[in-house]
Amino acid sequence: MAKGLLVTYVLWVIGGPAGLHHLYLGRDSHALLWMLTLGGGGLGWLWEFWKLPSFVAQANRAQEWKQSPREGIPPLSPIRFTAQMIVGIYFGLMALISLSSMANFYIVGLPLAVGLGVLLVAAVGNQTSDFKNTLGVAFLTSPIFYGRPIAILPISLAASITAQKHRRYKASVESETLSVRLYRLGLAYLAFTGPLAYSALCNTAATLSYVAETLGSFLSWFSFFPLLGHLMESVLLLPYRIWCLLVGDPGFNSSYFQEWEKLYEFVHSFQDEKRQLAYQVLGLSEGATNEEIHRSYRELVKVWHPDHNQHQTEEAQRHFLEIQAAYEVLSQHRKPRASRSIEV
């Protein structure tokens, strides 16, 4: 049955951020992507206004492709590659918030989440990519940056490059009923939102800490580029500031946006507390130089190394891990400070 452009635009207006128009056109991967990202943060939904005619034409040609599948390799798309990177990072951040407490998270959970995000974008439209190769590269990249949230970036980059290298047109398949498609989308949606909902409802305090640490780590990635870091901070507060421009003084109905700003402030306060605790662990006062931090770290590592404390292995292991974590926190903190000193 031919798809109508008018119906598509109506569904785009009514439920665009939830992917209703993509579901109507048979673009299930695109519909799921919009469900999980709310229309690409709203920007992708708005940008699609000009793309809907081509989507409708592509859906109406799908029957011809089933009879004679397309051959060859799809053209390289910088937009698709960028989207794969962004969604891979987004999936990794969500996994970091909801699943980072699981055993072997950086070996299994993180590369799986990032790889699936990349593959979801790769499967949008009439294209797809190789499942095994993309996930395989993600799993091989993860151990190189084991235990560090910044691992999300190289994993997403490597998986996106692999997905682009193995891109191809989708093979022809038999049409499925709407109930089967909805069942499959529902399972995928629950698999993504279930851990987040469980963490938020059953472990709220820990989830807030994970959110703060994740966003703090995300902002610290831009420590070498202060202007880009300030831009990302502005993006985090963009919903609140847009609301202020639209309605003026915040009132009772803007509580959601006040909470958004509180979360942003909580991220910074959480990072400050981590740095203060790190100074205490290393036995230093705030403002210690890089040389003092490094010297204290080396001395404490020698004292509390588990191999030198066979009579109190558990306590030594705990202190040893605390010292390493504290040194890493202060090392990250020094990068933005150095950037600011250069600007001055």
Side-chain angles (χ1 to χ4, degrees), residues 189-207:
Y189 185 79
L190 286 175
F192 182 88
T193 59
L196 284 172
Y198 176 81
S199 298
L201 296 176
C202 301
N203 202 6
T204 307
T207 301

Side-chain angles (χ1 to χ4, degrees), residues 100-151:
S100 58
S101 59
M102 67 177 283
N104 300 320
F105 168 74
Y106 285 95
I107 296 295
V108 179
L110 185 62
L112 179 62
V114 175
L116 290 177
V118 171
L119 284 169
L120 179 59
V121 178
V124 165
N126 62 347
Q127 297 185 27
T128 187
S129 189
D130 187 86
F131 185 85
K132 292 182 180 179
N133 282 312
T134 303
L135 283 185
V137 167
F139 279 105
L140 289 174
T141 307
S142 183
I144 301 175
F145 302 89
Y146 180 81
R148 299 183 179 182
I150 199 173

Side-chain angles (χ1 to χ4, degrees), residues 16 27 37 63 69 73 93 132 143 160 170 181 213 243 286:
R27 301 166 61 89
T37 63
Q63 192 63 36
I73 299 176
L93 290 174
K132 292 182 180 179
S160 298
K170 291 179 179 177
R181 293 166 56 203
E213 188 167 5
W243 181 263
E286 290 192 39

Side-chain angles (χ1 to χ4, degrees), residues 24-344:
Y24 167 70
L25 296 174
R27 301 166 61 89
D28 290 358
S29 297
H30 211 158
L32 178 61
L33 178 62
W34 259 212
M35 289 166 62
L36 299 180
T37 63
L38 289 179
L43 296 177
W45 170 61
L46 294 174
W47 179 72
E48 278 186 333
F49 180 84
W50 312 104
K51 302 287 291 182
L52 291 183
S54 64
F55 290 164
V56 173
Q58 187 180 98
N60 288 329
R61 288 197 301 267
Q63 192 63 36
E64 300 175 11
W65 293 346
K66 289 178 182 178
Q67 297 172 358
S68 55
R70 298 188 67 175
E71 298 179 354
I73 299 176
L76 183 65
S77 172
I79 295 177
R80 187 181 291 261
F81 176 79
T82 303
Q84 287 173 344
M85 280 286 299
I86 294 173
V87 174
I89 291 171
Y90 168 68
F91 271 47
L93 290 174
M94 294 301 102
L96 202 61
I97 291 171
S98 58
L99 300 174
S100 58
S101 59
M102 67 177 283
N104 300 320
F105 168 74
Y106 285 95
I107 296 295
V108 179
L110 185 62
L112 179 62
V114 175
L116 290 177
V118 171
L119 284 169
L120 179 59
V121 178
V124 165
N126 62 347
Q127 297 185 27
T128 187
S129 189
D130 187 86
F131 185 85
K132 292 182 180 179
N133 282 312
T134 303
L135 283 185
V137 167
F139 279 105
L140 289 174
T141 307
S142 183
I144 301 175
F145 302 89
Y146 180 81
R148 299 183 179 182
I150 199 173
I152 295 173
L153 280 176
I155 295 174
S156 184
L157 177 62
S160 298
I161 293 174
T162 305
Q164 284 290 309
K165 181 180 179 181
H166 295 277
R167 67 190 184 278
R168 64 176 186 270
Y169 289 111
K170 291 179 179 177
S172 60
V173 293
E174 293 295 329
S175 298
E176 296 179 327
T177 62
L178 180 61
S179 59
V180 172
R181 293 166 56 203
L182 289 175
Y183 175 74
R184 188 174 296 166
L185 287 174
L187 288 180
Y189 185 79
L190 286 175
F192 182 88
T193 59
L196 284 172
Y198 176 81
S199 298
L201 296 176
C202 301
N203 202 6
T204 307
T207 301
L208 284 174
S209 297
Y210 288 143
V211 170
E213 188 167 5
T214 299
L215 291 179
S217 299
F218 179 72
L219 291 175
S220 71
W221 294 347
F222 302 96
S223 57
F224 288 111
F225 308 97
L227 291 178
L228 189 55
H230 293 320
L231 176 62
M232 294 308 302
E233 291 178 6
S234 300
V235 169
L236 286 175
L237 284 178
L238 187 59
Y240 172 78
R241 287 171 177 162
I242 290 177
W243 181 263
C244 289
L245 288 174
L246 292 176
V247 303
D249 225 6
F252 174 78
N253 292 329
S254 65
S255 58
Y256 166 78
F257 297 99
Q258 291 174 356
E259 292 302 320
W260 186 267
E261 189 170 47
K262 287 179 183 177
L263 175 62
Y264 176 78
E265 294 172 352
F266 174 69
V267 170
H268 282 274
S269 65
F270 183 80
Q271 296 299 314
D272 290 339
E273 291 179 6
K274 282 181 62 179
R275 285 191 288 270
Q276 292 173 6
L277 181 60
Y279 280 118
Q280 294 177 12
V281 169
L282 295 182
L284 299 170
S285 59
E286 290 192 39
T289 64
N290 289 334
E291 291 76 14
E292 292 172 335
I293 293 172
H294 188 65
R295 182 169 58 251
S296 177
Y297 167 73
R298 294 187 63 181
E299 292 174 355
L300 290 173
V301 162
K302 291 178 181 178
V303 171
W304 288 107
H305 197 285
D307 292 344
H308 302 158
N309 294 271
Q310 298 291 342
H311 59 290
Q312 47 179 358
T313 306
E314 292 186 3
E315 183 180 358
Q317 181 73 15
R318 179 173 58 83
H319 282 292
F320 186 73
L321 293 176
E322 288 178 353
I323 293 165
Q324 286 186 319
Y327 181 71
E328 185 173 349
V329 168
L330 294 181
S331 298
Q332 291 178 350
H333 177 51
R334 291 289 156 163
K335 295 173 184 177
R337 179 174 296 185
S339 300
R340 286 193 292 268
S341 63
I342 292 174
E343 288 182 343
V344 174

